[in-house]
Amino acid sequence: MTIILALGDLSCGHCIKAVKTALEKVEGVETAEVTLNFAKVTGDVTPESLINAVLDAGYRAKLAEPDFTLALSGLNCGHCIKSTEKALSAVKNIEVFDVSKTSAKIYGAADPQAAIQAIVEAGFDASLENAVPKSEDAAIDVLKADEGPKSEQPLQSAASPEGVAVAQSFQAESLPGEQITLLLSGLSCAACVLKVERALQAVPKVRSARVNLAEQTAFVTGDTTPEALIDAVIQAGYGAELIEDETNRRDKQRLQIEHEIRQRKWQAIVALIMGFGLLFWGLAGGQMQVTAENRSNWIGVGVISLIVMVFTGGHFYRRALKNLANKTATMDTLVALGTGAAWLYSMAVTLAPDFFPETARHLYFESSTMIIGLINVGKMLEAKAKQRSSKALERLLDLTPKTALIVEGEGEREIPLSQVQQGMILRLKTGNRVSVDGIITQGEAWLDESMLTGEPLPVHKREGDKISAGTLVTDGAVLFRAEQIGNKTTLANIIRLVRQAQSSKPQIGQLADRIAAVFVPAVIAIALLAAVIWYAVTKEISYSFVVLTTVLIIACPCALGLATPMSIIAGVGRSAELGVLVRDADALQKAAEVDTVVFDKTGTLTKGEPKLTALYTFNGFDSQTAVQFAADLEQSSTHPLAKAILEHAADLRISPQTVSDFRTLKGLGVTATIQHKAVLLGNRALLEQHSVALTEAESSFRQESEKGATVVFLAVEQMLAAVFVIRDPLRDDTAAALSRLHRQGYRLVMLTGDQEKTAQAIAKEAGIDQVIAGVLPEGKVQAIRQLQAQGRKVVMVGDGINDAPALAQANVSIAMGSGSDVAIETAELTLMRHSIHGVADALSLSRGTLRNMKQNLFFAFVYNCLGIPLAAGVFYPLLGVLLNPMVGGAAMACSSITVATNANRLLKFTPQA
């Protein structure tokens, strides 16, 4: 029994795997294939049990019905079914299909006529079987009982030219508050991140919340309101505001960072002037201890120091008080305790010097102000480093022009980009950037798409071709019709995906979160314990105070908090420049650990369509004449092999001529009379039936067949004229890219539904290590599982709907950007250019990013593991030195700057050749 469910609320590969795991745990389930919008389950099981499993996993589900069904004819075998499936996988908006020899059930918001055309072009016949619009009342309520009613949004529909209503999937529904981005303020360390994430996740109906310290943003998914999220952040002691679009976000974030840089700069200057003034006074011989003569002067200095501390470090103290009210602790708590303790101790000595031993009357007013000044310097430099880390994304944002040139009946005029509407005709000239996605209606031009795809060479575009916002016209001029505008363009979607990925966390980053949860309380405990021990040993309160203050100041949770987010921002941004879209940062970590790369063959390693790759002529016939005869015979055929011959004829500028007595011989080929001559075109059996001698072509036939090619024979007047060799050739750069992957140490595997001989020939030519041939989509999933059972960590590279289950099963999934929407949405990484070099770039960059994250975490851990014991005086018996609190403040600032600077090295990362 096969059951197909329509799914809701899935947004990435992790969601797919969660639903797949939940379904496979249901008793009686044999197989479960899951995409973002559908699940296809086989086994002895009820729909209700499957729907409940999906609900328990945190998503929505209902029984799915085919959006339309096609009646098929001409399919005789499994190969015909596979050819039909391959044709349907290329049709836009087809999500799932179920093909038999007589029918094809189609799920998704596809145009039925486009599906029919694809099947016809594959060499078969198809017609629309049913055209009954789906009723909105037929939708099954799949909401959890304890969630309460959600806003009912009817399934949208798009009418096809035949008037068929095609129900769209959950992805097309307008779900209030499904994805909300907030711009935050006041976060300073990993503990702050953890605190805000917990506050957001506590809001009812929030499904996930991810906070990025480096970007000061929160990415929230769920059925809630922005107001509820903002209130939760404010209650946690921080600031938040809603980001409605990328332009506003960019402007607000830029202003926020510029304000922070200016503010921290003047705060640092004022605090350091005060601190260095007192320091130089002491170095110049001034009295730094309280005496009867200078007591009143030091009281004045203490008051001035307090004023400076409040004005230059007030943000630390305000957030520390909020933390205290919320019973939490962050870096601000440590700074406030350390500097506050230094000032309180100094003021106590000043007001009551007789209470303290004479040797303990040293004052630390300069330490309080200098620590604040040094930390503000660190925060200023850290903010500048954050600016640099987002440069890659900012360059993408800068690709869209501010205006567009609209063509109207009365002429042309320039309008702001925000006023461009769908359907408008716009003009592009040499040097212009494309403002919105569209289709060329007139003219031709060469476009530089390198900023989106990473492909360095300009691409030729003509009437009917699609163009993308942000690309550059290097030569030519065109008119085009606006299709996707605003945040619906390809560039806008890329920016959204990059922003989402930059806010995600790899597993290695969760280690820092776990440590941050206990870091600050642990540091306070260590500081108090060290102070007590020092006082017990020395009976000198000044020693105890120095140790207490230095431990509080030197500990740096901000370095832990920045270690992974800074690397992720830089790595994801650099990957976008290389033409690799990262859906989730965890994919970068997993991709860095894989050892096996599995490729789908058709459309991934090969060009995905048959081409005439060789032509042998015999008995005095030349190639021009042979192609002319073949084109004459195939001019009305839609078979893929015929298409290859006709395309070759068009390249040679050969026009098909009229034929007579045309006949199609099923399973053999075609015959006709051309120029009063009997002409045959077909397979070997056709010519043998007509007693045509094939001895001369025997070696060519055997040689090409061994390479997996299809051989077509042409005979004229009972005489062999030519042999056409047709195959799906490798892409131009496939062999070089696979050789590059071999040098990087990966094992290469090819999965294909083709026959073994064809697959082995392609594998030998490409340099593949292992071939798994003759597999259906279910078999591809099983093949991935078998590799994983052998202990291999697998990355799957595919482009079709039939690859989606295997992509979901693999440890990491990579989709070719020109592939089907389902494959792209299932994959964790997407290549914007159709080149296997993109796979090598992605894997190389993932290793570089993981290495950078480990370096940052190592430095943050080592810094704190050495700095805290050093400040606590553990090494005093060996070194005879106690750290001054000012040194601790400087070290704390340097730790954050080092982490940020190291992460920014990824912005110049060059993939391994």
Side-chain angles (χ1 to χ4, degrees), residues 9-42:
D9 294 341
L10 281 72
S11 60
C12 64
H14 292 297
C15 301
I16 291 172
K17 289 181 181 178
V19 172
K20 182 178 174 68
T21 302
L23 290 173
E24 288 175 340
K25 289 180 179 178
V26 177
E27 185 175 356
V29 170
E30 296 174 3
T31 63
E33 301 172 23
V34 182
T35 69
L36 282 175
N37 303 318
F38 290 94
K40 183 178 180 182
V41 184
T42 59

Side-chain angles (χ1 to χ4, degrees), residues 159-417:
S160 72
E162 296 294 322
V164 180
V166 182
Q168 295 182 346
S169 64
F170 280 123
Q171 289 300 108
E173 296 182 39
S174 177
L175 297 175
E178 185 176 340
Q179 293 182 343
I180 299 172
T181 304
L182 301 178
L183 184 62
L184 307 175
S185 60
L187 281 71
S188 59
C189 66
C192 299
V193 170
L194 200 61
K195 185 178 171 184
V196 174
E197 283 184 346
R198 286 175 175 172
L200 291 171
Q201 287 166 353
V203 176
K205 298 185 181 180
V206 166
R207 199 166 69 244
S208 67
R210 295 180 298 194
V211 174
N212 189 311
L213 174 62
E215 286 276 291
Q216 296 279 303
T217 55
F219 189 84
V220 185
T221 57
D223 293 327
T224 187
T225 63
E227 291 76 15
L229 298 175
I230 292 172
D231 286 343
V233 175
I234 292 173
Q235 289 297 319
Y238 302 91
E241 58 180 307
L242 179 65
I243 298 175
E244 297 181 350
D245 60 59
E246 277 299 319
T247 302
N248 287 340
R249 179 211 62 78
R250 183 186 186 187
D251 291 340
K252 289 178 180 179
Q253 197 167 43
R254 176 179 54 80
L255 292 173
Q256 186 185 75
I257 292 179
E258 288 177 354
H259 173 72
E260 182 178 6
I261 291 173
R262 288 195 304 271
Q263 190 173 37
R264 299 294 172 258
K265 184 177 180 180
W266 75 258
Q267 287 174 336
I269 291 172
V270 172
L272 290 175
I273 287 174
M274 177 75 182
F276 274 115
L278 291 174
L279 177 65
F280 290 142
W281 163 259
L283 293 175
Q287 178 60 262
M288 295 297 290
Q289 288 186 321
V290 178
T291 63
E293 294 78 17
N294 63 17
R295 182 182 173 192
S296 59
N297 294 335
W298 279 117
I299 291 175
V301 170
V303 172
I304 295 172
S305 296
L306 179 62
I307 294 171
V308 170
M309 288 167 62
V310 170
F311 276 97
T312 63
H315 47 291
F316 296 125
Y317 302 113
R318 285 191 297 272
R319 291 199 288 260
L321 288 173
K322 289 180 180 178
N323 291 337
L324 181 62
N326 292 320
K327 299 179 181 179
T328 59
T330 65
M331 184 204 78
D332 300 308
T333 306
L334 297 180
V335 175
L337 283 175
T339 57
W343 186 87
L344 286 172
Y345 176 85
S346 300
M347 186 54 72
V349 170
T350 304
L351 294 175
D354 295 336
F355 180 78
F356 297 88
E358 189 173 343
T359 55
R361 295 177 186 174
H362 189 87
L363 303 178
Y364 295 94
F365 290 127
E366 84 285 357
S367 295
S368 298
T369 54
M370 281 193 68
I371 287 168
I372 290 175
L374 290 170
I375 294 174
N376 279 329
V377 169
K379 288 296 178 184
M380 179 189 71
L381 296 176
E382 184 183 304
K384 289 184 176 180
K386 290 176 185 177
Q387 271 188 325
R388 289 194 297 272
S389 70
S390 296
K391 287 297 182 185
L393 184 59
E394 299 302 317
R395 283 194 286 270
L396 285 178
L397 291 168
D398 287 334
L399 293 177
T400 306
K402 305 298 181 188
T403 60
L405 192 61
I406 182 175
V407 179
E408 299 174 314
E410 58 271 19
E412 301 175 358
R413 63 187 177 92
E414 195 170 59
I415 60 173
L417 182 61

